[in-house]
Amino acid sequence: MARTFLKVTRTADTASAFSGLGLKHVPVIVQNLGNVAAYTCVVRMLEARPRSPIHEKIPLGEFTLGGQLVFTLQPGERTTVRVPFMRTRANGTFIAIVSDPLLDPNELTVADFNHRRLLLANLT
């Protein structure tokens, strides 16, 4: 079956991209581990109020969209992208979520921090 299998991870500069409020360009690494191109690969940046403990599962409905980037990712390709993100909270929980709406749709309803699609950060 032809399908993409997308994964997002942090770079060495991901955490430092969040200093201060306002528009940021957050670098993340996106991989297509599938066997077909992700022509509509979407990385969304979301933020929510602070959580304690941090690994508590948070419903995705509690997050607000801060930015997104749509691009094409070939099979086996790994690339670093800089996603625009409008940081509006002085502190909170941040996630980057990757999906391909056509071939690898997001089936998550909560932020499961051990999932290949999600990248977690604390905004301080």
Side-chain angles (χ1 to χ4, degrees):
M1 177 179 184
R3 121 168 234 207
T4 60
F5 191 80
L6 302 174
K7 180 179 178 180
V8 64
T9 54
R10 69 182 68 239
T11 70
D13 298 327
T14 299
S16 63
F18 288 110
S19 61
L21 298 176
L23 181 63
K24 311 295 174 192
H25 288 85
V26 181
V28 294
I29 299 169
V30 182
Q31 291 178 273
N32 180 356
L33 303 171
N35 59 3
V36 67
Y39 291 108
T40 56
C41 183
V42 180
V43 178
R44 290 185 176 90
M45 300 291 184
L46 306 145
E47 65 181 344
R49 68 179 176 82
R51 290 297 184 128
S52 181
I54 187 60
H55 293 292
E56 169 185 346
K57 291 191 177 185
I58 307 169
L60 290 181
E62 291 187 20
F63 286 87
T64 57
L65 181 65
Q68 70 179 8
L69 181 67
V70 181
F71 57 99
T72 299
L73 199 60
Q74 297 299 322
E77 185 177 1
R78 172 187 165 128
T79 189
T80 300
V81 295
R82 298 182 68 79
V83 184
F85 173 62
M86 181 58 77
R87 182 174 171 182
T88 60
R89 295 179 176 270
N91 56 26
T93 301
F94 152 83
I95 62 171
I97 188 166
V98 64
S99 67
D100 177 348
L102 299 175
L103 298 173
D104 194 17
N106 175 27
E107 74 282 352
L108 296 174
T109 58
V110 296
D112 180 353
F113 301 121
N114 294 319
H115 200 280
R116 67 180 162 88
R117 293 183 185 284
L118 292 177
L119 173 65
L120 166 71
N122 279 324
L123 300 177
T124 58

